Amino acid sequence: MAHDCIVTETDGPVGVIRLNRPDALNALNARLIAQLTGALEAFEADAAIGCIVLTGSRKAFAAGADIAEMKDRTWPQTWLEDFLSRWDAIARTRKPLIAAVSGYCLGGGCEVAMMCDFIIASESARFGQPEIRLGIIPGAGGTQRLTRAVGKARAMDLILTGRMMDAAEALASGLVARVVPDESLMDEAMSAARMIAGHGRAAVLAAREAVNRAFEVPLQEGLRFERRMFYALFATADQKEGMAAFVQKRKPRFTGG
Ligand code: CAA
């Protein structure tokens, strides 16, 4: 499929995917989701890529699922197709995925950003789950991931009123990891991505799997999982290199082994 809804590029070990439907504030239609999941799969398969940055335009990361495309859907069609299940592929990405968010990040757009490992926002970013205003509820993880990120009180406030929160509130509530000036957004995201891609690949995968476990299993099981992953990393060449480099007071040269 030709990419007309996204733009992809690589910068060394970093893959960049830019959502690109400027006339619709990057509304997420089926074609865009297919292109996005295809591009993620391609970066997953590319051994040279160690981290992926997902971004939009200055005006919008994405203003939600495409309402014009959804408006005539029927319940049986939505149910039988399991319409939103295709979006799950984004959350299943194994390589680290950073959302670089500027402008509107609403509904399905906020849900996609929350599927990423963390969000770096620019000062103009606006987050919200406004689905209630359309007579629906968030359907791609909003009620679950937002609640885990910001807690029940603020999630209920946002989801029941449909209001937007600004970048400062998103930072204070724990939805985003960093807020930076608009003009620095991509520099900041790319520099974080390069740093992550430069670490030992097995350690990075283990770290993100272990953090994600915290949301899936009871504490004792999570702690056991973390410890098993910690021990397993002593089987890697990157652990030997990382510790030798520290002792020898030099920079490590990780090989992914
Ligand atoms: N779907 C389809 N088109 C959209 C869209 C969306 N989610 N959001 C914006 N657009 C389109 C508009 O229709 C408009 O197109 P035209 O120029 O052809 O009329 C264009 O993008 C620009 O939008 P506006 O003129 O509305 O721009 P604005 O600056 O006045 O307002 C906004 C910006 C507040 C974000 C407003 O566009 C808005 O409220 N958008 C809808 C947000 C929303 O409800 N998102 C949730 C969608 S449902 C969902 O995501 C379900 C799920 O959980 C999976």
Side-chain angles (χ1 to χ4, degrees):
M1 186 188 292
H3 283 175
D4 54 355
C5 302
I6 63 168
V7 176
T8 62
E9 57 182 312
T10 59
D11 181 350
V14 181
V16 180
I17 303 174
R18 183 181 293 278
L19 307 179
N20 187 39
R21 291 189 69 209
D23 296 343
L25 298 180
N26 294 335
L28 306 164
N29 62 7
R31 194 170 169 84
L32 184 151
I33 293 292
Q35 291 176 15
L36 170 58
T37 53
L40 286 169
E41 259 173 45
F43 282 145
E44 287 268 80
D46 183 346
I49 297 298
C51 189
I52 305 165
V53 173
L54 178 59
T55 193
S57 68
R58 186 137 175 175
K59 189 158 184 213
F61 177 79
D66 191 310
I67 300 167
E69 192 182 69
M70 269 187 306
K71 68 180 180 22
D72 296 323
R73 280 188 162 275
T74 64
W75 174 75
Q77 182 194 12
T78 315
W79 173 252
L80 294 173
E81 274 178 24
D82 199 2
F83 160 52
L84 290 170
S85 64
R86 292 179 198 125
W87 296 37
D88 293 344
I90 304 163
R92 282 197 303 269
T93 305
R94 280 188 87 215
K95 289 186 179 170
L97 184 54
I98 300 174
V101 173
S102 180
Y104 295 114
C105 185
L106 303 175
C110 188
E111 291 171 309
V112 167
M114 290 190 293
M115 289 178 197
C116 298
D117 290 319
F118 62 96
I119 301 172
I120 300 180
S122 80
E123 282 161 349
S124 71
R126 297 286 177 274
F127 297 87
Q129 297 289 162
E131 289 87 345
I132 203 82
R133 298 180 181 206
L134 300 168
I136 56 169
I137 67 168
T143 63
Q144 305 303 300
R145 291 198 177 92
L146 186 65
T147 307
R148 282 165 169 78
V150 306
K152 177 182 166 183
R154 203 178 305 243
M156 282 290 191
D157 174 1
L158 289 162
I159 291 169
L160 295 182
T161 65
R163 76 173 174 89
M164 290 185 216
M165 65 175 165
D166 64 16
E169 186 182 352
L171 182 66
S173 66
L175 178 62
V176 312
R178 313 178 192 178
V179 175
V180 299
D182 284 16
E183 56 280 8
S184 318
L185 179 64
M186 279 315 280
D187 285 348
E188 187 87 5
M190 292 303 287
S191 134
R194 272 192 291 272
M195 190 176 285
I196 293 167
H199 295 321
R201 297 275 166 92
V204 168
L205 288 195
R208 63 184 298 284
E209 252 189 84
V211 172
N212 284 329
R213 280 291 158 112
F215 296 99
E216 293 164 3
V217 299
L219 178 63
Q220 284 309 319
E221 190 44 51
L223 291 171
R224 273 193 290 273
F225 179 79
E226 178 194 80
R227 200 160 294 178
R228 282 195 295 270
M229 297 303 271
F230 177 85
Y231 294 153
L233 289 166
F234 284 81
T236 65
D238 282 345
Q239 173 269 327
K240 300 287 174 290
E241 168 61 11
M243 293 194 183
F246 177 83
V247 172
Q248 293 160 16
K249 301 189 187 307
R250 61 173 174 82
K251 274 192 160 183
R253 286 182 301 272
F254 293 120
T255 57

